[in-house]
Amino acid sequence: MPLLHSCKTDDLPQCIFPYSRSNDLTPTHISWQPSANAGTHHTDRYANTELTVRRGQAFTITLYFNRPKQTGESLAFVTEIGPAPSESHRTKAVFNLSEVGASGWSAAQGPSESNYMNFTISSPANAVIGRYNLTLQVTSGNKIFSRFLGQFVLLFNPWCPGDDVYLADENERQEYVLNENGIIFVGNAKYIEARGWYYGQFQDHLLNICLTMLDLSLYYRQDPAIDVSRRGDPKYVGRVISSMINGNDNDNGVLLGKWQGSFHSHENPSRWDGSVVILQKWRQDNYKPVQYGQCWVFAGVMCTVLRCLGIPTRLVSNFNSAHDVDRNLSIDKYYDSSGKSLNISKDSTWDYHVWNESWFIRPDLGTSYNGWQVLDATPQEQSRGLFQCGPASVRAIKEGDVDLDYDTLFVYTEVNADCNRWIVYNDGTKKRVYCDTEIIGRFISTKAVGSNSRVDVTRNYKYPEGSSEERRVYKKALAKIFGSNVTEGHTESPDGRSSETVRNPGISGKFKLAEPPVFGKDITLILVLNNLSFDHKTVKVDMSASTVLYTRRAVAEILKAATSVDLGSKQEKHIRIKIPYSYYGKYLTTDKRIQVTALCEVMRMHGAKLLVEKTIILEDTNIIIKIPRRVVVNKAVTLEISYANPLPEPVNRCVLLVTLMNQQVKIHLAQLAPRERSKIYFEFTPRRTGPLQLQVDFSSDKFSHVKGFVTIAVAPA
């Protein structure tokens, strides 16, 4: 038997048929040539053993026969996918050797010997993706018989210019398709933090899980044949996946979301450091939704799935992200007359929201809308009956084309809505005390190509705030929503209730931190009030502080205070506020956020009020990871991991989780005294070169999920 090429054991020919006594031309063995094919198709890192290739690009197989092919015998191949393959649905193709069929599939014979033949098979650049059956059809005279050869998986191909997902830049392909390590930006607009995330799109079972996900969708259940036939379209696949990452439609989705209350007996969303363990748990639990996720978890898992299927995808974080339920381009938040936040509005503004962008063309909209498309798996609202969102063209969002498919208006409001604050009086009347047209959609961020740096992509989504272009687009969006005769300022009376706008109070105010806010320490704030006029003013100040979630939903009120301040002509005064650890410690969530408000009423000005607001993120005591200057593949390396108790009281049940790729080590630690710092040494052996992300998660009985990560460059031996 001739050697085809230098190969691994899985390159050796596989027996596909028992010995046949017939003299018909019959294949006996097949070599899928996995090493050669995987290398040229950029699929060599997938852990699955079956042939995995990309569409629009040729792959090679070798067939061994029971005898040489004779004159008068001809060969053809048949590819089939889905439960009811048909040529009309483009889920079945029959193509003769050396002929390009109407389907776009083709096969050609390469250099061959008497007992084997090499074949090059090519798929069209718009072929349906998924797992195919491959069959050989032998024709001899008027006799036709078929032999099943096996299965292979076909993926989207960002390296193929004819593919809808084609991405021209190789560095971007390496980042958005092949990189298994990610960075998610969280925090708030004034305190952006980086969090590590392991996508692991090539790990064990992941490809099969992603293909199964498509088959579990409600789209597939409604019409399997049509659903499979549409899987050549990345916008369709992206939309289906956005519906399947969440489990809100009783569709065996991957994750259930939860933003408040106890996570008892299930996983706190902050516990997750990557997608692989979530997807494998979903599979092990027979595709029952994993509990629980929040926006960055939904986005991280969807990025894994889309990269696994070959669609270039990245995570994007939008700071001060709006959820405009009534679609009036206004986010309305309500406070009582003492300044306490009221959870009565369906609208909300999250400190940050994470979604995905995927790269593909939009022939349904026109070439100007090609490029990055927003997909969002977080279940906020239904779109056409399902919890799904996108793809919405980023270009369409920037240009205010809110009537275009899919869910462009929803995403437009997330980055462009106005922000209104209202006082609700005991009689139910409302007065607007604040309107900000620029605060929503700030510092829209994504990971840089080839590094862990943050790249600001705000200008991809909107023109500069206050510019003539931004106002033009805003008016255009309003006209598309409400009709061409609508003007700005139409949002002043929410819910049709009696309301009015509070008059200008003639003062300004802001909160300043006296020192960085550190978890475990007292927080000192200064309310700075300025009299903007020459007139003397007496200002009544009602202050309130509450622990909140990153969605800004209040958890517990921890401070309430009132005072009065006299402001002379153009005078500035400072009011010092202290929030002790004993006030907030037991009410803080893993989001570690406190929102402080001051409602400032100028006396004898008939209700002139100023609302001042600030969200504080408490800084964790750093986890410090020290790595050697040089780390070499297949050589043991020791890291120093330092962790601390930031509290003025001892902590017990200390646990350190160290995650490297998909491997996690749980280390139980001794109790820590107040403010104590300790360290451990952690040894591992890297098994491949390139970037490797190591993540650390520290928890105790008094706090949980303090995070740290480091990216290690593993050098060749």
Side-chain angles (χ1 to χ4, degrees), residues 26 82 94 150 185 226 238 252 266 313 357 401 424 459 498 525 537 546 671:
T26 304
V94 181
F185 294 102
I226 293 296
N252 296 97
H266 296 291
T313 303
E357 285 180 357
D401 294 319
V424 181
R459 295 229 171 164
S498 172
L525 282 159
K537 291 183 175 69
S546 298
Q671 77 164 41

Side-chain angles (χ1 to χ4, degrees), residues 662-682:
N662 196 36
Q663 304 301 311
Q664 188 171 84
V665 178
K666 187 175 187 178
I667 305 167
H668 293 274
L669 307 166
Q671 77 164 41
L672 289 176
R675 317 288 190 200
E676 180 185 0
R677 179 170 282 277
S678 188
K679 62 186 176 184
I680 64 163
Y681 293 94
F682 181 79

Side-chain angles (χ1 to χ4, degrees), residues 173-460:
R173 293 191 292 249
Q174 292 291 325
E175 179 69 48
Y176 300 134
V177 183
L178 301 183
N179 194 354
E180 292 186 89
N181 301 308
I183 301 292
I184 305 176
F185 294 102
V186 298
N188 67 19
K190 294 185 178 179
Y191 185 71
I192 298 176
E193 302 175 272
R195 176 180 293 173
W197 190 268
Y198 180 59
Y199 298 125
Q201 63 266 32
F202 304 118
Q203 297 306 301
D204 283 344
H205 309 297
L206 258 289
L207 181 56
N208 282 338
I209 290 171
C210 295
L211 295 177
T212 299
M213 192 180 298
L214 292 171
D215 288 345
L216 289 174
S217 77
L218 295 179
Y219 288 88
Y220 181 85
R221 295 184 208 176
Q222 184 176 1
D223 192 330
I226 293 296
D227 171 73
V228 172
S229 73
R230 298 186 66 184
R231 293 182 188 173
D233 181 354
K235 67 178 182 294
Y236 178 79
V237 171
R239 189 160 173 81
V240 171
I241 294 300
S242 81
S243 75
M244 281 301 298
I245 298 300
N246 70 74
N248 285 52
D249 296 307
N250 295 317
D251 54 359
N252 296 97
V254 177
L255 281 157
L256 284 182
K258 188 173 185 179
W259 280 265
Q260 56 189 323
S262 170
F263 301 105
H264 180 67
S265 77
H266 296 291
E267 298 290 357
N268 185 317
S270 296
R271 171 256 183 272
W272 306 115
D273 295 310
S275 307
V276 178
V277 66
I278 295 171
L279 289 165
Q280 290 184 341
K281 179 174 173 54
W282 180 59
R283 172 178 171 266
Q284 289 160 7
D285 292 348
N286 199 27
Y287 308 107
K288 176 184 175 183
V290 176
Q291 302 174 65
Y292 290 102
Q294 291 178 2
C295 69
W296 73 92
V297 184
F298 289 106
V301 174
M302 184 152 74
C303 187
T304 294
V305 174
L306 294 175
R307 286 188 184 183
C308 183
L309 297 176
I311 300 176
T313 303
R314 64 187 185 184
L315 265 65
V316 171
S317 299
N318 177 39
F319 292 92
N320 293 340
S321 187
H323 180 189
D324 179 21
V325 173
D326 50 13
R327 299 292 201 276
N328 64 352
L329 295 188
S330 170
I331 301 301
D332 300 297
K333 188 169 182 181
Y334 301 95
Y335 303 80
D336 68 14
S337 55
S338 68
K340 180 184 176 183
S341 176
L342 302 173
N343 290 329
I344 62 174
S345 175
K346 292 182 180 179
D347 290 346
S348 61
T349 305
W350 295 8
D351 279 345
Y352 67 92
H353 179 45
V354 186
W355 58 66
N356 299 91
E357 285 180 357
S358 292
W359 180 274
F360 46 84
I361 66 171
R362 292 299 300 269
D364 58 321
L365 303 182
T367 56
S368 61
Y369 300 102
N370 291 348
W372 290 115
Q373 315 288 325
V374 172
L375 289 158
D376 191 350
T378 300
Q380 296 182 83
E381 287 189 20
Q382 288 188 333
S383 170
R384 302 187 186 180
L386 296 178
F387 283 97
Q388 58 191 352
C389 182
S393 162
V394 172
R395 178 72 184 196
I397 296 161
K398 182 172 184 175
E399 295 300 331
D401 294 319
V402 296
D403 53 335
L404 297 182
D405 286 340
Y406 296 87
D407 307 304
T408 307
L409 172 59
F410 183 83
V411 184
Y412 178 87
T413 63
E414 288 184 299
V415 300
N416 281 296
D418 288 345
C419 188
N420 291 290
R421 299 292 183 256
W422 302 79
I423 303 299
V424 181
Y425 294 95
N426 292 335
D427 62 0
T429 60
K430 304 180 182 74
K431 288 188 178 181
R432 189 172 72 167
V433 294
Y434 176 75
C435 178
D436 192 325
T437 62
E438 298 183 3
I439 197 170
I440 298 297
R442 305 292 299 277
F443 305 108
I444 304 175
S445 304
T446 192
K447 177 187 176 298
V449 173
S451 81
N452 288 345
S453 301
R454 183 183 73 88
V455 175
D456 193 301
V457 295
T458 307
R459 295 229 171 164
N460 290 358

Side-chain angles (χ1 to χ4, degrees), residues 625-628 637-641 680-682 684 694 712:
I625 307 169
K626 293 182 179 179
I627 60 175
V637 58
T638 301
L639 310 180
E640 179 186 294
I641 302 173
I680 64 163
Y681 293 94
F682 181 79
F684 74 97
L694 180 135
I712 304 167

